[in-house]
Structures are given as C-alpha cells and as structure tokens.
Amino acid sequence: MGNVEPHLLLTVIFHPRPSLIGASAIVPRRLQRNPFRVGRYSPDFDVPRVKVKKPLASPYVSRHALTVFFKGETLQVHRAEGACRCRIGGQEMEGPLAIASEQLKAGVPIQLAHDIVLLLRFTSASPQPGNDLKGLEGHSAYMQDLRA
C-alpha cells in the first residue's frame, strides 16, 4: 500500500439533525476556476450509513456562506456579504481569512449561523461509512474503534 496524498476534509461536528453528525465532504485542491462553496445547499456531504449525499439544509445558514480556494499552500476563505454569522477557529469572521496548512493539519473548527459546527482538516484517511452501533452518531476514529 503506497502513500496516500492528504486531502482536505470538511466534517460535520454538530448539526440539529444528529444523522448528519460525522458526514464529510472532500474539498478539492484545484479550486482556481471553481471555488468551493459552503452553504445551505452545498457541498453535498457523504453521510455515514446512508448511500445518499445530503447538504447541511439549515434555514439559518446562507445559501453561499463561504467561498474557499487555495492560493499556493494557503487556504483562502471569504464570507459572502450579508451571509450568516461565521466563526473560524473561535474568531468571528469579519473579512477574508488565510488558513495555513499547519493549521489545517491540526484542524480548524467552523461555526455557521448558530446551529452548525464543521471541522476542516487535512487527512490521509478516506471517509469510511460506519456500522450503526445502537444509535451512536459520529464518524471520528474513536467512534470507528467503538464500532469495531
């Protein structure tokens, strides 16, 4: 088995619908022409135990809350004018933000509106659908160990 290229993964950490907790979406590295948008209807997240992809679909999250693209090794994040509240790394997002790859390796929490928390991080692991274990939600490595 060869080295797996790390990819940027956006994972739902908190959502009012518990079935979406642990859902993830891969953020493409080549975003110069088509920036990656995070909002009410995009991206579509791979939901554990379900073969259908689903968006966040929160009425409190703007349709196009954030636009994300790479500039070299730095991830650029822009909040759309008039978009819902957005906090990145615990700080209120006022203007464009640059996130270094070191921060992405550790993981960067993103809060959208008041009801959604996402984790943006580099990972080498591929998202794996988990087996249900008495209704336990989540898709972290710890949760996968519990299900094993």
Side-chain angles (χ1 to χ4, degrees), residues 4 16 28 60 70 83 90 93 103 109 111 118 129 131 147:
V4 177
Y60 304 107
F70 281 97
M93 189 172 180
Q103 292 173 281
Q111 179 183 350
L118 308 170
N131 299 322
R147 290 184 181 98

Side-chain angles (χ1 to χ4, degrees), residues 11-15 109-112 114-119:
T11 304
V12 178
I13 301 301
F14 179 82
H15 194 285
I110 299 172
Q111 179 183 350
L112 295 175
H114 66 276
D115 64 341
I116 306 289
V117 180
L118 308 170
L119 181 66

Side-chain angles (χ1 to χ4, degrees), residues 16-28:
R17 291 192 339 247
S19 63
L20 281 177
I21 295 172
S24 60
I26 294 176
V27 179

Side-chain angles (χ1 to χ4, degrees), residues 87-139:
R87 294 175 62 91
I88 297 184
Q91 300 296 315
E92 199 72 37
M93 189 172 180
E94 300 292 333
L97 183 68
I99 304 174
S101 59
E102 295 80 32
Q103 292 173 281
L104 293 170
K105 288 176 187 170
V108 177
I110 299 172
Q111 179 183 350
L112 295 175
H114 66 276
D115 64 341
I116 306 289
V117 180
L118 308 170
L119 181 66
L120 184 63
R121 66 186 171 100
F122 274 124
T123 181
S124 297
S126 298
Q128 299 290 325
N131 299 322
D132 192 19
L133 182 64
K134 298 181 182 173
L136 290 177
E137 299 291 344
H139 191 60

Side-chain angles (χ1 to χ4, degrees), residues 43-104:
D44 285 327
F45 289 84
D46 289 314
V47 182
R49 300 173 309 280
V50 179
K51 292 186 176 159
V52 177
K53 293 184 176 196
K54 295 184 179 183
L56 294 171
S58 169
Y60 304 107
V61 173
S62 301
R63 287 180 178 87
H64 299 292
L66 299 175
T67 302
V68 176
F69 61 93
F70 281 97
K71 189 174 186 180
E73 290 298 311
T74 304
L75 187 73
Q76 303 291 318
V77 182
H78 293 257
R79 180 176 163 259
E81 186 176 334
C84 64
R85 177 183 186 191
C86 192
R87 294 175 62 91
I88 297 184
Q91 300 296 315
E92 199 72 37
M93 189 172 180
E94 300 292 333
L97 183 68
I99 304 174
S101 59
E102 295 80 32
Q103 292 173 281
L104 293 170

Side-chain angles (χ1 to χ4, degrees), residues 24-45:
S24 60
I26 294 176
V27 179
R29 288 284 293 190
R30 299 174 196 260
L31 297 171
Q32 285 79 14
R33 287 190 171 170
N34 298 315
F36 187 78
R37 298 196 193 280
V38 178
R40 184 181 307 165
Y41 301 119
S42 63
D44 285 327
F45 289 84

